[in-house]
Amino acid sequence: MSIEINNLTKLYGQQKAIDNISFSIKAGEVVGFLGPNGAGKSTTMKILSGYIPQTTGTAEVMGINVAANPLAVKQKIGYLPELNPLYDDMYIVEYLQFNADIYRLRNAKEEIERVIEKTGLTAERRKKIGQLSKGYRQRVGIAQALLNNPEVLILDEPTNGLDPNQMGEIRRLIANLSEDKTILLSTHIMQEVEAMCSRVIIINKGRIVADDSVENIKKHLSNGSQEIYIKFKNTINIEEMLKLNSIQNVVADGQNGFVVTAKKEVDLASVLFQFAIDSKTVIAEQREKEETLESVFQQLTNNV
Ligand code: ADP
């Protein structure tokens, strides 16, 4: 396993920031760590990166116990902290050199060139960090995290505070990095998980409330029902549709359009096709309404 956490708990004084959480991440996975502010994402990532100790439980990165060997772990991972601490007065290369020195990197010059190129910083490389846009500052943070060519990347809210264009660029960069790295990235933005991750771990109030593939989580939480949006060519009386036994609910949606809900086991498409024939009309448009991760997230975090 690239990452393995068992029964991890962290108390800040009296306050439980994370409460007995466990999960593991295989090599090559890109996992979204999703939760509202204060859920415990940063705390978990700081423990995993060897920056703070847990109260109880264990955290391992590539088989190394983090609390016992924080330095060994720091050499194996790349970590982008939430509040990416950059020095505005430093030039990009100078800052990367400073970090390379901390890690006592051999081949620092080549590594710095590699990460500058990888993160798309080449055009800005002569600038001071203070002169960069937020998106480029974040690239510098990611470049720093890549210096030791880690197999595991831990990215804490990598797109936080960026405008939509910058977000898109950073997401593309992360997608590109995910080709040969294991990535755990935290976010409170559902679309981000849908765009970049194959799996999602949802945390709320220090507890894990879901851990599954993005697809499964969406399926699993649709309350055993399905929804189809359908639009007919001609006007339909909603009362007639409601008479269909196999349908649970119908809501009008635009001209001749309806959102129809039925139990999952019903072959709703066939029912609606037959209904159109019986009503002497044809179907102009039909699509399954997919549950978004956002509504799933709300269901999960409100119920706890
Ligand atoms: P997230 O990253 O999901 O926003 P955090 O891990 O930062 O959540 O915080 C989890 C909880 O722990 C929050 O209630 C937060 O206020 C608390 N917390 C975080 N850091 C500290 C700290 N250094 N001292 C005291 N409480 C903290």
Side-chain angles (χ1 to χ4, degrees):
M1 288 293 162
S2 288
I3 291 176
E4 180 127 29
I5 281 182
N6 277 308
N7 306 110
L8 204 65
T9 295
K10 174 73 184 179
L11 288 162
Y12 291 110
Q14 296 290 322
Q15 193 187 356
K16 225 175 227 179
I18 50 171
D19 187 1
N20 200 30
I21 67 171
S22 300
F23 63 80
S24 53
I25 297 177
K26 288 196 224 105
E29 278 193 290
V30 180
V31 178
F33 198 29
L34 185 65
N37 282 330
K41 304 181 296 296
S42 293
T43 300
T44 308
M45 291 179 139
K46 282 181 201 160
I47 295 171
L48 263 179
S49 312
Y51 285 90
I52 58 169
Q54 63 268 39
T55 307
T56 53
T58 55
E60 285 185 3
V61 175
M62 303 189 63
I64 305 170
N65 185 306
V66 184
N69 300 291
L71 278 176
V73 167
K74 282 179 192 167
Q75 277 168 352
K76 295 255 178 217
I77 63 163
Y79 171 50
L80 176 73
E82 186 184 10
L83 301 167
N84 180 12
L86 296 172
Y87 299 99
D88 282 356
D89 279 339
M90 279 191 177
Y91 290 96
I92 295 176
V93 176
E94 195 184 357
Y95 175 73
L96 294 173
Q97 182 65 53
F98 170 71
N99 278 277
D101 290 345
I102 293 175
Y103 285 102
R104 299 213 178 94
L105 273 196
R106 273 177 271 151
N107 310 328
K109 283 234 146 40
E110 289 100 273
E111 295 300 320
I112 289 168
E113 288 311 311
R114 181 181 59 79
V115 299
I116 284 181
E117 152 109 52
K118 188 90 187 160
T119 53
L121 282 168
T122 308
E124 309 283 299
R125 59 175 298 148
R126 310 253 167 252
K127 289 194 180 161
K128 278 191 175 176
I129 290 171
Q131 298 170 316
L132 299 174
S133 68
K134 267 195 157 172
Y136 274 88
R137 292 169 69 88
Q138 205 60 332
R139 284 174 198 249
V140 175
I142 296 173
Q144 166 275 124
L146 292 172
L147 269 175
N148 52 344
N149 204 5
E151 281 172 53
V152 177
L153 268 183
I154 295 175
L155 307 175
D156 197 353
E157 304 249 5
T159 61
N160 202 9
L162 302 184
D163 72 30
N165 287 338
Q166 295 166 339
M167 271 188 192
E169 285 166 18
I170 295 296
R171 283 180 195 163
R172 273 193 292 282
L173 172 60
I174 294 172
N176 179 264
L177 295 172
S178 70
E179 282 171 15
D180 61 353
K181 299 204 185 297
T182 307
I183 301 183
L184 177 65
L185 75 95
S186 73
T187 177
H188 55 267
I189 307 171
M190 332 317 142
Q191 296 93 312
E192 197 142 290
V193 174
E194 291 190 280
M196 285 189 286
C197 307
S198 49
R199 180 172 147 211
V200 56
I201 297 173
I202 303 181
I203 183 168
N204 189 41
K205 298 181 185 157
R207 294 194 176 178
I208 290 178
V209 291
D211 177 355
D212 209 334
S213 67
V214 171
E215 214 175 64
N216 274 352
I217 283 189
K218 286 204 272 184
K219 259 192 232 150
H220 182 72
L221 281 148
S222 45
N223 293 331
S225 56
Q226 57 175 322
E227 273 185 355
I228 282 185
Y229 168 81
I230 189 156
K231 186 176 167 138
F232 299 101
K233 245 209 162 120
N234 310 87
T235 308
I236 292 284
N237 184 346
I238 196 166
E239 299 300 327
E240 290 300 313
M241 283 186 93
L242 281 164
K243 279 185 199 159
L244 294 169
N245 281 334
S246 43
I247 281 177
Q248 288 178 313
N249 196 22
V250 182
V251 178
D253 184 355
Q255 206 189 2
N256 302 338
F258 304 91
V259 175
V260 186
T261 312
K263 284 228 159 66
K264 262 223 163 97
E265 49 277 12
V266 171
D267 182 1
L268 188 53
S270 301
V271 169
L272 293 172
F273 184 68
Q274 190 60 47
F275 176 76
I277 294 171
D278 295 345
S279 309
K280 301 191 168 42
T281 183
V282 289
I283 296 168
E285 198 184 328
Q286 178 177 324
R287 68 187 125 83
E288 271 182 43
K289 289 206 75 167
E290 203 188 6
E291 184 143 31
T292 63
L293 206 50
E294 178 143 20
S295 66
V296 168
F297 176 76
Q298 278 163 355
Q299 287 174 47
L300 279 168
T301 53
N302 286 337
N303 289 341
V304 181

